């Protein structure tokens, strides 16, 4: 496995492999890797000959009062996990390598980003779409894999790729969970034992909604209200619970053929997200 810190090196690596007729698969991450990230590596391997993982805590997607400085980092461990999973190359640039001057050029999706995780974090998705565009320009992947855990992010990236004709196939891989149902996240590390137990209410409320829908419930407000009460009773502070169209993310008052339920809630100071398809 190779580790590259500069744009020049990773670009040369990718172009060289593509010249040999190999497909380059790409998994962008912010590091502190867990089984969720590694499942994306496995998925990339199924669609490509070469797998590149980027590890970059992207400053432009963090708001002024968010956890950029304390975001967990452990490069040595990440590198070992990547190596053991058969990753071919890690791209781990410094912030200065990615943003050598103040960034004044942005890639912005202007519809899907306005609600849910974008409502209170007005520059978050602009940071994501900009860094993903930069990484695509640098790594030149044929296929890139994102996690369904960040449902809105994956939808925004798909829309950006379609709108701007990036030559990259986007694959969205399923959520990986702990055995008790908590979605794996680098931020779970912030949770106290008590908060971690309470946070299971997020998954449980998604499962409750799923079975209510299977039993014929169609009223989104009822389903969302039940989830809000369950999470609040467990001591969580709900940021949003929404039932939306899986593609446009427009809110659905009534559930038709397909829907996604999306939840963001704080347990202590930690903001967790999860979702389920109906
Ligand atoms: P992050 O390092 O949190 O920016 O995540 C990098 C990628 O891993 C994103 O595409 C996430 O959606 C994905 N990811 C994070 N957690 C999970 C999980 N529990 N299951 C599947 N994918 C995940």
């Amino acid at each position: 496995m190779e580790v590259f810190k500069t744009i020049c090196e990773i670009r040369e690596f990718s172009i060289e492999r593509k010249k040999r007729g190999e497909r380059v698969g790409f998994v962008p991450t912010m590091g502190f890797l867990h089984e969720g990230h590694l499942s994306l590596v496995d998925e990339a391997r199924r669609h490509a000959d070469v797998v590149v993982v980027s590890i970059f805590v992207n400053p432009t997607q963090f708001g002024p009062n968010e956890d950029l400085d304390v975001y967990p980092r452990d490069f040595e461990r990440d590198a070992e996990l990547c190596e053991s999973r058969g990753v071919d190359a890690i791209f781990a640039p410094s912030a200065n390598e990615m943003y050598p001057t103040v960034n004044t050029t942005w890639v912005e999706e202007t519809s899907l980003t306005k609600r849910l995780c974008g409502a209170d974090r007005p520059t978050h998705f602009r940071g994501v779409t900009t860094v993903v565009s930069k990484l695509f320009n640098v790594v030149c992947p044929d296929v890139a894999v994102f996690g369904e855990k960040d449902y809105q992010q994956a939808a925004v990236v798909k829309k950006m790729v379609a709108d701007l004709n990036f030559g990259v196939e986007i694959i969205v891989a399923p959520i990986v969970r702990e055995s008790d149902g908590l979605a794996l996240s680098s931020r779970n590390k912030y949770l106290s034992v008590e908060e971690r137990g309470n946070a299971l209410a997020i998954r449980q409320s998604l499962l409750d909604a799923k079975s209510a829908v299977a039993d014929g419930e169609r009223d989104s407000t009822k389903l969302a209200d039940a989830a809000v009460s369950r999470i609040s009773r467990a001591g969580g502070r709900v940021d949003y619970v929404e039932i939306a169209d899986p593609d446009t993310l427009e809110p659905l008052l009534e559930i038709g053929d397909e829907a996604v339920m999306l939840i963001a809630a704080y347990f202590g100071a930690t903001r967790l997200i999860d979702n389920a398809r109906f």
Side-chain angles (χ1 to χ4, degrees), residues 27-31 33-34 36-37 39-40 61 71 145-150 153 173-177 183-186:
V27 179
T29 81
M30 298 207 298
L33 303 180
H34 50 63
H37 298 111
S39 74
L40 307 188
Q61 72 190 68
Y71 193 84
V145 187
F146 292 80
E148 195 160 52
K149 152 91 171 17
D150 297 83
Q153 171 174 282
I175 302 174
V176 176
R177 301 177 178 282
L184 294 187
S185 164
S186 306

Side-chain angles (χ1 to χ4, degrees), residues 187-265:
R187 289 190 169 102
N188 291 353
K189 165 188 161 61
Y190 300 144
L191 296 167
S192 69
V193 174
E194 193 191 350
E195 287 163 355
R196 197 204 164 289
N198 293 341
L200 293 176
I202 298 180
R203 171 66 170 159
Q204 285 155 358
S205 57
L206 288 166
L207 291 176
D208 287 350
K210 229 173 141 83
S211 60
V213 170
D215 289 344
E217 181 61 76
R218 290 287 171 268
D219 184 337
S220 295
T221 311
K222 272 194 197 158
L223 293 164
D225 287 351
V228 170
S229 348
R230 176 147 202 174
I231 293 166
S232 309
R233 277 201 311 277
R237 184 163 59 81
V238 171
D239 181 357
Y240 61 75
V241 173
E242 276 206 28
I243 295 175
D245 177 278
D247 298 317
T248 64
L249 297 182
E250 285 299 320
L252 291 176
L253 286 179
E254 198 148 290
I255 297 182
D257 286 345
E258 289 211 321
V260 59
M261 184 169 188
L262 305 122
I263 298 182

Side-chain angles (χ1 to χ4, degrees), residues 14 63 71 87 89 115 124-125 130 140 169 177-178 181 209 238 260:
S14 267
Y71 193 84
V87 168
R115 300 173 37 257
H124 169 68
F125 283 114
T130 300
C140 312
E169 181 190 351
R177 301 177 178 282
E178 304 276 10
V238 171
V260 59

